[in-house]
Amino acid sequence: MDRNRLLVVDDEPVVRELLSATLRFAGYTVGSAATGSEALDAARHEPPDLVLLDVMLPDMDGFEVVRRLRELPRPLGAGHPGRIPVLFLTARDAAADKVNGLRLGGDDYVTKPFDLEELLARIQAVLRRTGLAPDDRTLRAGDLEVDPDGHQVLKAGRPVRLSPTEFRLLHYLVLNTGRVVTKAQILEHVWQYDFAGDSSIVDTYVSYVRRKADTTEPKLIHTVHGVGYVLRRPRT
């Protein structure tokens, strides 16, 4: 999959790490920065397709970061509009701050606390408006299709009904096609950091997903004993 590269800029480690993990799970390549200077440095060396930017940073505010970002040389590369889109993601919810951020060249302004599904939808909307969103982010393995935007799964062209947790599990396996993922990694990405239960829940949910979405030969989801699971494309 042709992944968009996002840059998360926030001085709070927990927020930065949670956002980064969520965005990677959604299929993006993610970099991060804790200060405005780090963000500008990262943008110079590897221009992202979108910056998620907090306003309150320790060295300069997000508005100043946008001013300096707009002064950087235009990114090169096929399909890049030459102007890095910015989505403000901040606790500052005053109307004046929103107006200021948008006037300075921000493409959207989301206030904390925020809904992750809404944030992902807004990111996609900005990427589409700037012509940077891939036309099709559907993941495919054999006769299985997983649409991360529409949260839909097709098996041989027929819809498969999965619970939200089952969908996250299948999406994570397909996203890592050909790579063995451990139960600990699955717990971290599917159940998030605060899950402290028995890892046998992974086996239970893998069996659910197999019964619903891996019903024909050759099988796609394989057990790697003592390690975890891997989804492999069928050999042609």
Side-chain angles (χ1 to χ4, degrees):
M1 182 178 63
D2 183 17
R3 301 185 185 187
N4 287 114
R5 176 175 174 77
L6 309 185
L7 177 63
V8 175
V9 187
D10 199 300
D11 64 329
E12 296 183 39
V14 174
V15 174
R16 194 168 62 247
E17 290 166 15
L18 175 61
L19 264 177
S20 297
T22 299
L23 295 170
R24 288 190 187 99
F25 179 71
Y28 296 104
T29 298
V30 184
S32 64
T35 67
S37 299
E38 288 180 9
L40 292 168
D41 237 17
R44 287 188 195 98
H45 288 93
E46 192 171 2
D49 295 316
L50 178 97
V51 177
L52 282 82
L53 180 62
D54 192 7
V55 172
M56 296 178 287
L57 298 171
D59 55 344
M60 66 183 84
D61 66 29
F63 303 137
E64 178 62 21
V65 174
V66 171
R67 289 191 194 95
R68 298 190 187 187
L69 195 61
R70 296 294 177 241
E71 295 172 357
L72 294 179
R74 295 166 72 85
L76 300 177
H80 204 292
R83 173 189 169 280
I84 299 173
V86 173
L87 187 154
F88 284 105
L89 189 60
T90 177
R92 286 175 58 167
D93 59 357
D97 288 325
K98 295 178 183 178
V99 170
N100 192 27
L102 295 172
R103 279 180 176 169
L104 285 168
D107 296 85
D108 203 347
Y109 197 106
V110 178
T111 56
K112 300 175 183 177
F114 52 85
D115 179 80
L116 285 172
E117 289 297 325
E118 179 185 354
L119 177 62
L120 291 172
R122 285 176 177 264
I123 289 170
Q124 273 299 107
V126 171
L127 291 171
R128 280 196 299 270
R129 286 200 302 269
T130 53
L132 290 169
D135 293 333
D136 183 8
R137 296 208 308 136
T138 300
L139 305 173
R140 296 176 175 85
D143 61 356
L144 193 65
E145 299 179 33
V146 178
D147 175 6
D149 296 327
H151 277 240
Q152 294 182 333
V153 175
L154 298 178
K155 174 72 172 176
R158 295 185 176 182
V160 177
R161 303 182 82 178
L162 299 179
S163 72
T165 301
E166 291 164 354
F167 180 86
R168 290 195 299 271
L169 173 58
L170 180 60
H171 180 213
Y172 184 62
L173 291 173
V174 177
L175 200 58
N176 288 278
T177 295
R179 185 167 74 91
V180 177
V181 289
T182 66
K183 291 183 183 180
Q185 288 173 316
I186 294 172
L187 283 172
E188 178 182 327
H189 287 84
V190 176
W191 281 268
Q192 304 300 323
Y193 296 104
D194 58 354
F195 184 84
D198 188 341
S199 65
S200 64
I201 193 171
V202 174
D203 303 318
T204 301
Y205 271 83
V206 167
S207 70
Y208 293 160
V209 171
R210 278 173 163 159
R211 284 203 298 268
K212 293 181 178 182
D214 195 16
T215 54
T216 57
E217 295 292 342
K219 299 297 184 182
L220 301 175
I221 301 172
H222 303 271
T223 302
V224 181
H225 295 288
V227 183
Y229 295 93
V230 60
L231 187 144
R232 295 192 180 100
R233 288 190 174 90
R235 294 181 179 178
T236 56

Coordinates of all heavy atoms in Angstrom, one line a residue, residues 30-75:
V30 N 4.2 7.2 10.2 CA 4.1 8.3 11.2 C 5.5 8.6 11.8 O 6.3 7.8 12.2 CB 3.2 7.9 12.3 CG1 3.0 9.1 13.3 CG2 1.8 7.5 11.8
G31 N 5.8 10.0 11.8 CA 6.9 10.5 12.5 C 6.4 11.4 13.6 O 5.2 11.7 13.6
S32 N 7.2 11.7 14.6 CA 6.7 12.6 15.7 C 7.8 13.6 16.1 O 9.0 13.4 15.8 CB 6.3 11.7 16.9 OG 7.5 11.0 17.4
A33 N 7.3 14.6 16.7 CA 8.2 15.7 17.3 C 7.6 16.2 18.5 O 6.4 16.3 18.6 CB 8.4 16.8 16.2
A34 N 8.4 16.7 19.5 CA 7.9 17.2 20.7 C 8.0 18.7 20.8 O 7.4 19.3 21.7 CB 8.7 16.6 21.9
T35 N 8.7 19.3 19.9 CA 8.8 20.8 19.9 C 8.7 21.3 18.5 O 8.7 20.6 17.5 CB 10.2 21.2 20.4 OG1 11.2 20.8 19.4 CG2 10.5 20.6 21.8
G36 N 8.5 22.6 18.4 CA 8.4 23.3 17.1 C 9.6 23.1 16.3 O 9.6 22.9 15.0
S37 N 10.8 23.3 16.9 CA 12.1 23.1 16.2 C 12.3 21.7 15.6 O 12.7 21.6 14.5 CB 13.2 23.5 17.2 OG 13.1 24.8 17.7
E38 N 11.9 20.7 16.4 CA 12.0 19.3 16.0 C 11.1 19.1 14.7 O 11.4 18.4 13.8 CB 11.6 18.3 17.1 CG 12.7 18.2 18.2 CD 12.2 17.2 19.2 OE1 11.2 16.5 19.0 OE2 12.9 17.2 20.3
A39 N 9.9 19.7 14.8 CA 8.9 19.6 13.7 C 9.5 20.2 12.4 O 9.4 19.6 11.3 CB 7.6 20.3 14.1
L40 N 10.0 21.4 12.5 CA 10.6 22.1 11.3 C 11.8 21.3 10.8 O 12.0 21.2 9.6 CB 11.0 23.5 11.7 CG 9.8 24.4 12.0 CD1 10.4 25.7 12.7 CD2 9.0 24.7 10.8
D41 N 12.6 20.7 11.7 CA 13.7 19.9 11.3 C 13.2 18.7 10.5 O 13.8 18.3 9.4 CB 14.5 19.4 12.5 CG 15.9 19.9 12.5 OD1 16.3 20.7 11.7 OD2 16.7 19.3 13.3
A42 N 12.2 18.0 11.1 CA 11.7 16.8 10.4 C 11.1 17.2 9.0 O 11.3 16.4 8.1 CB 10.6 16.2 11.3
A43 N 10.4 18.3 9.0 CA 9.8 18.7 7.7 C 10.8 19.0 6.6 O 10.6 18.8 5.4 CB 8.9 19.9 7.9
R44 N 12.0 19.6 7.1 CA 13.1 19.9 6.1 C 13.7 18.6 5.5 O 14.0 18.5 4.4 CB 14.2 20.7 6.8 CG 13.8 22.1 7.1 CD 15.1 22.9 7.6 NE 14.7 24.1 8.3 CZ 14.5 24.3 9.6 NH1 14.8 23.3 10.4 NH2 14.2 25.5 10.0
H45 N 13.9 17.6 6.4 CA 14.6 16.4 6.0 C 13.7 15.4 5.2 O 14.2 14.7 4.3 CB 15.3 15.7 7.2 CG 16.4 16.5 7.7 ND1 16.3 17.4 8.8 CD2 17.7 16.5 7.4 CE1 17.5 17.9 9.0 NE2 18.4 17.4 8.2
E46 N 12.5 15.3 5.7 CA 11.6 14.4 5.0 C 10.2 15.0 5.1 O 9.4 14.7 6.0 CB 11.6 13.0 5.7 CG 10.9 11.9 4.9 CD 11.1 10.5 5.4 OE1 11.8 10.4 6.5 OE2 10.6 9.6 4.8
P47 N 9.8 15.8 4.1 CA 8.5 16.5 4.1 C 7.3 15.5 4.2 O 7.2 14.6 3.4 CB 8.5 17.2 2.8 CG 9.9 17.4 2.4 CD 10.6 16.2 2.9
P48 N 6.5 15.7 5.3 CA 5.3 14.8 5.4 C 4.2 15.2 4.5 O 4.2 16.3 3.9 CB 4.9 15.0 6.9 CG 5.4 16.4 7.2 CD 6.6 16.7 6.3
D49 N 3.2 14.3 4.4 CA 2.0 14.7 3.6 C 1.0 15.5 4.4 O 0.2 16.2 3.8 CB 1.3 13.4 3.1 CG 2.2 12.6 2.1 OD1 2.8 13.3 1.2 OD2 2.3 11.4 2.2
L50 N 1.2 15.4 5.7 CA 0.3 16.2 6.6 C 1.0 16.3 8.0 O 1.6 15.4 8.5 CB -1.1 15.5 6.8 CG -2.1 16.1 7.7 CD1 -3.0 17.0 6.9 CD2 -2.8 15.1 8.5
V51 N 0.8 17.5 8.6 CA 1.3 17.7 10.0 C 0.1 17.8 10.9 O -0.8 18.6 10.7 CB 2.2 19.0 10.1 CG1 2.6 19.2 11.5 CG2 3.4 18.9 9.2
L52 N 0.1 17.0 12.0 CA -0.9 17.2 13.1 C -0.2 18.0 14.2 O 0.8 17.5 14.8 CB -1.4 15.9 13.6 CG -2.4 15.1 12.8 CD1 -1.7 14.4 11.7 CD2 -3.2 14.2 13.6
L53 N -0.6 19.2 14.4 CA 0.2 20.2 15.1 C -0.6 20.8 16.4 O -1.7 21.3 16.2 CB 0.5 21.4 14.2 CG 1.3 22.5 14.7 CD1 2.7 22.0 15.2 CD2 1.5 23.6 13.6
D54 N 0.0 20.6 17.5 CA -0.5 21.2 18.7 C -0.1 22.7 18.7 O 0.9 23.1 18.1 CB 0.1 20.5 20.0 CG -0.5 20.9 21.3 OD1 -1.6 21.6 21.2 OD2 0.0 20.5 22.3
V55 N -0.9 23.5 19.3 CA -0.6 25.0 19.4 C 0.4 25.3 20.5 O 1.3 26.1 20.3 CB -1.9 25.8 19.5 CG1 -1.6 27.3 19.7 CG2 -2.8 25.7 18.2
M56 N 0.1 24.6 21.7 CA 1.0 24.9 22.8 C 2.2 24.0 22.9 O 2.1 22.9 23.3 CB 0.1 24.8 24.1 CG -1.0 25.8 24.1 SD -2.1 25.6 25.6 CE -3.0 24.1 25.2
L57 N 3.3 24.6 22.4 CA 4.6 23.8 22.4 C 5.6 24.6 23.3 O 5.5 25.8 23.5 CB 5.1 23.7 21.0 CG 4.2 22.9 20.0 CD1 4.7 23.0 18.6 CD2 4.2 21.4 20.4
P58 N 6.6 23.9 23.8 CA 7.5 24.6 24.8 C 8.4 25.6 24.2 O 8.8 26.6 24.9 CB 8.4 23.4 25.3 CG 8.3 22.3 24.2 CD 6.9 22.5 23.6
D59 N 8.8 25.6 22.9 CA 9.7 26.5 22.4 C 9.1 27.6 21.5 O 9.6 28.8 21.4 CB 10.8 25.8 21.5 CG 10.3 24.9 20.4 OD1 9.1 24.6 20.5 OD2 11.0 24.6 19.5
M60 N 8.0 27.3 20.8 CA 7.3 28.3 20.0 C 5.9 27.8 19.9 O 5.6 26.5 19.9 CB 8.0 28.5 18.7 CG 7.9 27.3 17.8 SD 8.8 27.5 16.2 CE 10.5 27.2 16.7
D61 N 4.9 28.6 19.7 CA 3.5 28.1 19.5 C 3.3 27.6 18.1 O 4.1 27.8 17.2 CB 2.5 29.1 19.9 CG 2.4 30.3 19.0 OD1 2.8 30.2 17.8 OD2 2.0 31.4 19.4
G62 N 2.3 26.8 17.9 CA 2.0 26.2 16.7 C 1.8 27.1 15.5 O 2.1 26.8 14.4
F63 N 1.3 28.3 15.9 CA 1.1 29.3 14.8 C 2.4 29.8 14.2 O 2.5 30.0 13.0 CB 0.3 30.5 15.4 CG -1.0 30.2 16.0 CD1 -1.4 30.8 17.2 CD2 -1.9 29.3 15.4 CE1 -2.6 30.4 17.8 CE2 -3.1 29.0 16.0 CZ -3.5 29.5 17.2
E64 N 3.4 29.9 15.1 CA 4.7 30.3 14.6 C 5.3 29.1 13.8 O 6.0 29.4 12.8 CB 5.7 30.6 15.8 CG 7.1 31.0 15.4 CD 7.2 32.2 14.5 OE1 6.2 33.1 14.5 OE2 8.2 32.4 13.8
V65 N 5.0 27.9 14.2 CA 5.5 26.7 13.4 C 5.0 26.8 12.0 O 5.7 26.6 11.0 CB 5.1 25.4 14.1 CG1 5.5 24.2 13.2 CG2 5.8 25.3 15.4
V66 N 3.7 27.1 11.9 CA 3.1 27.2 10.5 C 3.7 28.3 9.7 O 4.0 28.1 8.5 CB 1.5 27.4 10.6 CG1 1.0 27.7 9.3 CG2 0.9 26.2 11.2
R67 N 4.0 29.5 10.3 CA 4.6 30.6 9.6 C 5.9 30.1 9.0 O 6.3 30.4 7.9 CB 4.8 31.8 10.5 CG 3.6 32.5 11.0 CD 3.9 33.8 11.7 NE 2.8 34.4 12.4 CZ 2.5 34.2 13.6 NH1 3.3 33.5 14.4 NH2 1.4 34.8 14.2
R68 N 6.7 29.5 9.9 CA 8.1 29.0 9.4 C 8.0 27.9 8.4 O 8.8 27.7 7.5 CB 8.9 28.6 10.6 CG 9.2 29.8 11.6 CD 10.2 29.4 12.6 NE 10.3 30.4 13.7 CZ 11.3 30.4 14.6 NH1 12.2 29.4 14.6 NH2 11.3 31.3 15.5
L69 N 7.0 27.0 8.6 CA 6.8 25.9 7.7 C 6.5 26.4 6.3 O 7.0 25.8 5.3 CB 5.6 25.0 8.2 CG 5.4 23.6 7.7 CD1 6.6 22.8 8.0 CD2 4.1 23.0 8.2
R70 N 5.7 27.5 6.2 CA 5.4 28.0 4.9 C 6.6 28.7 4.2 O 6.5 28.9 3.0 CB 4.2 29.0 5.0 CG 2.9 28.4 5.6 CD 2.3 27.5 4.6 NE 1.1 26.8 5.1 CZ 1.0 25.5 5.2 NH1 2.0 24.7 5.0 NH2 -0.1 25.0 5.7
E71 N 7.6 28.9 5.0 CA 8.8 29.6 4.4 C 9.8 28.5 3.9 O 10.8 28.9 3.3 CB 9.5 30.5 5.4 CG 8.6 31.7 5.8 CD 9.2 32.5 7.0 OE1 10.3 32.0 7.5 OE2 8.7 33.5 7.4
L72 N 9.6 27.2 4.2 CA 10.5 26.2 3.8 C 10.5 26.0 2.3 O 9.4 26.3 1.7 CB 10.2 24.9 4.5 CG 10.4 24.8 6.0 CD1 10.0 23.4 6.6 CD2 11.8 25.1 6.4
P73 N 11.5 25.5 1.7 CA 11.5 25.2 0.3 C 10.4 24.2 0.0 O 10.1 23.3 0.8 CB 12.9 24.5 0.0 CG 13.7 25.0 1.1 CD 12.9 25.2 2.3
R74 N 9.7 24.4 -1.1 CA 8.6 23.5 -1.5 C 9.0 22.0 -1.6 O 10.0 21.8 -2.3 CB 7.9 24.0 -2.8 CG 7.3 25.4 -2.6 CD 7.0 26.0 -4.0 NE 5.8 25.3 -4.6 CZ 4.6 25.6 -4.3 NH1 4.3 26.6 -3.4 NH2 3.6 25.0 -4.9
P75 N 8.3 21.1 -1.0 CA 8.7 19.7 -1.1 C 8.7 19.2 -2.6 O 7.8 19.7 -3.4 CB 7.6 19.0 -0.3 CG 7.0 20.0 0.5 CD 7.1 21.3 -0.2

